[in-house]
Amino acid sequence: MVKAHLTIGLLPLLRLALAQQSSSYVDPLNGIAFQGMTDSTYGITIGAVFPPVGTQSTEFIGEIVAPKSATWIGVALGGAMVKNLLLVAWPSENSVVASARYATGHVLPSVYSGPVITNLPSTSVNDTHWNWVFRCQNCTSWTGGSLNTTTSSTWAWAYSTSAVDTPSNPSSTFKIHTDFGHWTENMSAGHASADDYASYLAGGSGSGSTTTVSSTATTGTATTTTATTTSSTTSSGPTSTAAAYDYVIVGAGPGGIVTADRLSQAGKKVLLLERGGPSTGQTGGTYKAPWAANSTLTKFDIPGLFETMFTDPEEFWWCPDVTVFAGCLIGGGTSVNGALYWLPNDADFSSANGWPSSWESHQQYTNALAERLPSSDTPSTDGKRYMQETFAVVESLLEPQGYRQITINNETNSKDHVYGHSAFDFVNGKRGGPVATYLQTALQRTNFALKTSVLVSNVVRNGSQITGVQTNDTSLGPNGVVPLTPNGRVILSAGSYGTARILFQSGIGPSDQLAIVQSNAAAAANLPPSSDFINLPVGQAVSDNPSINLVFTHPSVDSYDNWANVWTSPRAADAEQYLKDQSGVFAATSPRMNFWREYTGTDGKTRTMQGTVRPGAASVNTTNSYNTSQIFTITAYLSQGITSRGRIGLTPSLNAQPIVDPWFQDPTDKVVLTQALGDIIANVSSIANLTLITPDSGMTLGEYIDAYDPATMNSNHWVGSAKIGANSSVAVVDSNAKVFNTNNLFIADASIIPALPVGNPQGMIMSTAEQAAAKILALAGGA
Ligand SMILES: Cc1cc2nc3c(=O)[nH]c(=O)nc-3n(C[C@H](O)[C@H](O)[C@H](O)COP(=O)(O)OP(=O)(O)OC[C@H]3O[C@@H](n4cnc5c(N)ncnc54)[C@H](O)[C@@H]3O)c2cc1C
Ligand SMILES: *[C@@H]1O[C@H](CO)[C@@H](O)[C@H](O)[C@H]1NC(C)=O
Ligand SMILES: *[C@@H]1O[C@H](CO)[C@@H](O)[C@H](O)[C@H]1NC(C)=O
Ligand SMILES: *[C@@H]1O[C@H](CO)[C@@H](O)[C@H](O)[C@H]1NC(C)=O
Ligand SMILES: *[C@@H]1O[C@H](CO)[C@@H](O)[C@H](O)[C@H]1NC(C)=O
Ligand SMILES: *[C@@H]1O[C@H](CO)[C@@H](O)[C@H](O)[C@H]1NC(C)=O
Ligand SMILES: *[C@@H]1O[C@H](CO)[C@@H](O)[C@H](O)[C@H]1NC(C)=O
Ligand SMILES: *[C@@H]1O[C@H](CO)[C@@H](O)[C@H](O)[C@H]1NC(C)=O
Ligand SMILES: *[C@@H]1O[C@H](CO)[C@@H](O)[C@H](O)[C@H]1NC(C)=O
Ligand SMILES: *[C@@H]1O[C@H](CO)[C@@H](O)[C@H](O)[C@H]1NC(C)=O
Ligand SMILES: *[C@@H]1O[C@H](CO)[C@@H](O)[C@H](O)[C@H]1NC(C)=O
Ligand SMILES: *[C@@H]1O[C@H](CO)[C@@H](O)[C@H](O)[C@H]1NC(C)=O
Ligand SMILES: *[C@@H]1O[C@H](CO)[C@@H](O)[C@H](O)[C@H]1NC(C)=O
């Protein structure tokens, strides 16, 4: 479902593979011994030095050294953007202007008061660089987080080449960064002596050394820390006998899990690699809301906690190196998504929608999916529906326009003027999806293995023959390369962004993206010789639904406090009811109703609009007063038939991001969605006490749409980055889901889907994986 949160990229971190480690260095400019890192791509150095351990200090001295091309730099002390202390700085005239910032969501961070920032004398700007050297007092804790300076933790940086709006003003607004990255700041190795620290504050240099804190266990519960001299360690490269697999599948999202289950069911020796860790309790997950602490129910189990995915500073479930929301944990997107679940319709797999004709007979695969993972529009275990007020209000809005109510997944081909109760892939009142079903059957087989916390960077190949998969886990094979059995195959299921990046890092894709990989020393080392590069349109022709929110109030509606309290202080009766038998409000995510209508554009093409109705709202923009307890949202998406396409690529730091936004590239898409939104609100005035508050009466619908921030049009439904098709100039995989010009590399996830389905895509993706698994098994030449 849509999330109207502005993704400003400084997304998560935690357990980031290959994250750079900080080291100690002395800045020749000021003689201060810092613990920090230099990013080789942009030539930015960021360091920090702390007062001696045991002084109960809440400050540190930091520096940012950056070339003038960096118009601003941000540092996230907790490593993530949300609910962490952010320090943002830029050059202005001959000095550096900075401020502490804070964000409660993925939006422009606002100025944060509490920290006291003082520029130290060596702060300077010369012809080529700016150098911000500062004291940051009251900077080791903030609302909702803190630093433990006797440990290491992940910090993040953001880099921009776009100037802030008012450089002289520390409170200036600025646009989303150009790139970002993470490193492990070894704060324990970054403490100065009291004398050195005092000297640094006074503008002097020190002895040039830092001390390392090491924890020594003592009797009882107390822990003492002692200072020791710094020593460097080198890691040995352990190797063990490597097991070879018939099929190595990369990514345990819906695509990878369904494929892995079907291939292991067929007796193949299958390894499923997942970069993330546990999600639901069944997978070993333990991250729980305080009120569910004594249950086995994690954040990922309890559907009603869905809205907290976007406001929780932990954020370990988001891929740290993708600039849009992507789930990096067991289940992929299905462990963190809205769980709206639609069985695909015939048009979703039609040749008109870009599928090879051999894929059109999808019904047996869709049936297989529905059998393994049934949908439910009554997810509460007591069979009752909760919080139906928005359903009733929107029903009264649609009925005069000829809509009829259906059980949506019982009539998959009816997608015009229909509405119904939202359907989900929950199982027994909990998030279920492929993790609770397909993955469980696979795990029972001895010819199947799942390895988590394993990051795949690329496939290893000799020309068109894939010989293994490069991971960061040396227990899986020499240098981390997992070998294949003779005739073994690799299947990428790392999602629209993850799969595209693995292809680029394997020397497969357009030359501009391969050039970015070539200029990254670590990744370049794993590329095949350039004579073996395979030029395919990877990342091109991606689509995602453009979606626009309308926010209303109605006195009958309960906004559920906009889901703001469900983590820490839920309504007690609802929490109790859910813990008791997984029934009630918490047994569903926020959506309550969905509807569809077809439109024919001026280009003669049919496009379908999907509406999703939910209590609460991501943002309200009105100057009129309104009752926040009565707000609800209708999100209108343009889905099947959409003609706009965008592009996915890499930043120089190898973050995956949209490089051409896919929304409204074709103006006809905008015209049609505008018309659809107009129809939704056409009868508002005929419903007693229903008020449209965003856009409000001060703005026309057209003005509202024109001003809509493109980033908030993102629906997180990306498809098409490795699309299926007739030949290697228009597509990445052939009708067997095999990557063109390779012998044994396949893709089974959202990437191969050539055009958006009519509804939210997870059902379509799993049906696609069912069919891909069957075609791969049927294709001769495999293990
Ligand atoms: C916030 C949000 C809400 C959504 N709501 C809905 C909804 O309500 N209904 C719906 O149908 N769809 C929804 N979606 C979309 C849906 O979840 C995705 O389309 C779907 O999960 C994509 O499936 P996939 O298998 O292609 O990839 P993913 O689900 O992204 O899975 C890819 C997996 O690969 C792993 N991986 C990636 N790179 C690597 C690597 N290099 N090495 C090892 N492992 C790797 C990832 O950790 C992940 O587990 C939502 C998505 C988001 C983000
Ligand atoms: C490999 O990467 C994953 C995902 O980032 C990480 O959790 C894991 O610790 C890494 N493994 C090693 C050995 O570095
Ligand atoms: C320190 O900062 C916090 C905000 O993080 C603020 O609430 C607190 O008042 C500050 N303390 C002092 C002594 O200024
Ligand atoms: C400009 O500042 C940078 C960063 O401190 C430094 O490396 C460089 O030597 C300086 N250049 C000159 C000409 O002083
Ligand atoms: C900080 O980390 C050390 C070492 O892991 C630990 O012993 C100590 O309890 C931590 N302090 C706090 C306040 O969490
Ligand atoms: C931090 O640095 C110290 C000293 O170099 C080292 O012993 C320790 O292992 C480092 N911690 C991490 C997490 O790298
Ligand atoms: C969990 O159990 C502990 C120990 O019985 C108890 O103290 C605590 O209050 C319980 N927490 C919740 C949220 O029920
Ligand atoms: C919808 O289909 C399911 C499964 O076939 C069936 O159990 C249910 O009764 C149907 N519901 C309606 C309202 O037709
Ligand atoms: C690569 O494949 C070619 C033939 O396709 C073979 O001659 C060569 O030995 C292979 N190279 C390696 C390193 O396996
Ligand atoms: C809010 O609405 C006003 C007009 O009513 C408009 O000028 C402004 O751009 C809107 N702000 C956002 C963030 O959409
Ligand atoms: C706002 O709505 C709530 C719930 O409908 C109601 O209880 C409350 O009285 C309303 N507040 C105002 C100021 O109208
Ligand atoms: C609903 O809106 C349409 C378009 O404005 C109008 O023709 C129709 O009369 C309205 N119906 C009702 C019941 O208000
Ligand atoms: C609309 O609101 C008025 C008071 O503001 C109330 O008397 C009336 O019952 C409401 N109508 C509906 C249908 O909620």
Side-chain angles (χ1 to χ4, degrees), residues 24 33 35 49-53 149 186-193 196 207 209-214 226-230:
S24 59
Q35 179 69 210
V49 57
F50 296 87
V53 176
T149 69
N186 190 342
M187 295 175 286
S188 74
H191 290 265
S193 70
D196 281 351
S207 63
S209 65
T210 48
T211 52
T212 295
V213 178
S214 63
T226 55
T228 60
T229 50
T230 304

Side-chain angles (χ1 to χ4, degrees), residues 535-557:
N535 183 5
L536 292 174
V538 178
Q540 289 166 348
V542 299
S543 40
D544 175 58
N545 310 102
S547 56
I548 292 204
N549 290 326
L550 301 168
V551 186
F552 305 82
T553 56
H554 189 272
S556 70
V557 165

Side-chain angles (χ1 to χ4, degrees), residues 54 75 199 437 593 637 653 772:
V75 179
S199 169
T437 53
M593 178 198 210
Y637 313 67
S653 296

